[in-house]
């Protein structure tokens, strides 16, 4: 901000000098809300108090906060939003605007659903033409690289057909995230005999899935049930309250680290549902938490778990191993 709005530079320097910890976040005595107050709101207000800010005469200063929902500390996110709203309530004419992108999370939406905040859904601005153009590029690239698709096109003509593509676009419903995930599912290779193995077989299958990522992920995981250790690996990841190194999960399950990495790539990589660790990062890589074990209840003694009202068919462990899993993490 000091570079874009030179009038704020001396106030930013003064704040950083008075509180050096503001420059070295995170430290116990600072927070994002405090950083914003001391390094953004305060300097901008002080500069505006001296008179018109020349660099902001035509348009206000814009701050973009992208992916706010990815911040794990919900309390800190709420403090950030509360501080932001309080500042604008006290300084309604300040030449500052904040643009936030985020998934719909309750702790965020509940704070922002107030007067003075414009909430908008990007899906409302995404046309089927945009999704069609996006898929055209992806399928054209796949056709150049995939010999199976090339052989199919030589024998049967254009793929996907205009009708198939139109149905796929309608099914996607304007979500680029869903479009990307579906495309990866369609193109991804699979050696299992239980499920369709070619992109041409999987395309009509995607049209039968419930819109959204839940149905897609269920189908992706279902195709991997035959892989050794699959259920134990997925169950352990789901039960971990905090990330654990790949080697740690392997030790917990009594399998070799190389087997853990191989099974993760076999089950997960083809459709890019999750990002598995690479071989050279086996000791330092961490697998992200899906959910806390405390959110689950057993549906039976040695089967799946129930998350809320839905059964999670791919989280299955022997209940006699559960105390070990919870203690050793």
């Amino acid at each position: 901000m000091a570079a874009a709005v030179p009038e704020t530079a001396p106030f930013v320097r003064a704040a950083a000098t008075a509180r050096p910890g503001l420059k070295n976040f995170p430290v116990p005595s600072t927070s994002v809300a405090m950083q914003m107050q001391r390094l953004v709101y305060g300097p901008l207000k002080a500069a505006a108090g001296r008179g018109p800010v020349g660099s902001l005469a035509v348009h206000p200063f814009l701050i973009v906060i992208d992916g706010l929902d990815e911040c794990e500390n919900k309390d800190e996110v709420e403090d950030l939003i509360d501080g932001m709203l309080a500042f604008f309530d006290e300084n309604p004419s300040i030449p500052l605007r904040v643009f936030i992108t985020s998934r719909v999370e309750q702790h965020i939406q509940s704070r922002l659903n107030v007067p003075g905040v414009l909430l908008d859904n990007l899906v409302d601005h995404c046309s089927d033409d945009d999704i069609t153009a996006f898929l055209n590029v992806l399928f054209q690239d796949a056709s150049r690289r995939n010999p199976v698709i090339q052989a199919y096109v030589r024998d049967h003509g254009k793929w996907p057909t205009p009708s198939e593509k139109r149905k796929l676009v309608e099914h996607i419903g304007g979500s680029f995230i869903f479009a990307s995930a579906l495309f990866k599912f369609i193109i991804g290779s699979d050696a299992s005999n239980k499920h369709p193995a070619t992109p041409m077989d999987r395309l009509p299958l995607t049209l039968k899935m419930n819109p959204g990522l839940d149905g897609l992920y269920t189908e992706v995981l279902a195709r991997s049930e035959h892989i050794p250790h699959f259920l134990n690996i997925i169950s352990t990841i789901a039960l971990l309250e905090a990330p654990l190194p790949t080697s740690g999960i392997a030790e917990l399950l009594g399998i070799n680290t190389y087997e853990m990495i191989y099974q993760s790539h076999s089950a997960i990589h083809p459709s890019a549902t999750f990002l598995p660790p690479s071989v050279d990062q086996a000791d330092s890589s961490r697998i992200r938490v899906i959910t806390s074990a405390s959110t689950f209840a057993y549906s039976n003694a040695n089967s799946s778990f129930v998350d809320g009202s839905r059964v999670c068919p791919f989280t299955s462990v022997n209940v006699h191993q559960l105390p070990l899993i919870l203690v050793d993490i």
Side-chain angles (χ1 to χ4, degrees), residues 147-276:
V148 175
I149 297 177
Q150 293 170 2
Y152 181 89
V153 170
R154 285 194 298 268
D155 293 340
H156 300 87
K158 186 177 179 61
W159 182 86
T161 65
S163 175
E164 290 173 327
K165 193 177 298 181
R166 185 182 67 256
K167 292 178 182 178
L168 184 61
V169 170
E170 292 174 353
H171 189 64
I172 288 170
S175 171
F176 275 97
I177 295 177
F178 191 38
S180 178
L182 276 185
F183 173 80
K184 291 175 182 177
F185 170 78
I186 293 170
I187 299 300
S189 60
D190 182 18
S192 170
N193 293 324
K194 182 179 177 182
H195 299 274
T198 70
M200 285 61 67
D201 293 322
R202 282 194 292 269
L203 175 55
L205 185 62
T206 62
L207 300 177
K208 299 178 182 179
M209 296 178 183
N210 292 329
L213 297 178
D214 286 349
L216 173 62
Y217 288 171
T218 298
E219 183 62 34
V220 170
L221 294 175
R223 295 187 296 118
S224 304
E225 288 183 278
H226 67 286
I227 298 175
H229 311 299
F230 170 76
L231 288 178
N232 283 338
I233 292 173
I234 292 298
S235 299
T236 302
I237 294 174
L239 289 169
L240 289 176
E241 187 173 357
L244 191 68
T246 306
S247 58
I249 295 180
E251 181 178 359
L252 191 64
L253 296 176
I255 62 178
N256 294 309
T257 301
Y258 74 85
E259 291 182 284
M260 171 73 187
I261 295 173
Y262 173 76
Q263 306 301 350
S264 298
H265 275 274
S266 299
I268 294 170
H269 183 66
S271 297
T273 305
F274 302 102
L275 295 178

Side-chain angles (χ1 to χ4, degrees), residues 11 45 55 90 94 127 132 158 181 215 218 238 258 269 285 290:
F11 302 106
K45 182 178 178 179
S55 55
E90 297 171 2
I94 201 76
S127 69
T132 300
K158 186 177 179 61
T218 298
Y258 74 85
H269 183 66
S285 297
I290 295 178

Side-chain angles (χ1 to χ4, degrees), residues 42-95:
L44 193 57
K45 182 178 178 179
R50 287 187 168 183
V53 181
S55 55
L56 299 179
V58 178
H59 52 73
F61 183 67
L62 176 65
I63 296 176
V64 177
I65 302 177
D66 185 31
L68 184 60
D69 58 290
E70 296 182 11
C71 297
E72 296 181 355
N73 191 325
K74 294 183 179 181
D75 292 337
E76 194 157 359
V77 170
E78 292 175 352
D79 289 342
L80 171 65
I81 296 174
D82 290 344
M84 188 183 304
L85 295 176
F87 175 75
F88 282 115
D89 284 342
E90 297 171 2
N91 305 274
S93 60
I94 201 76

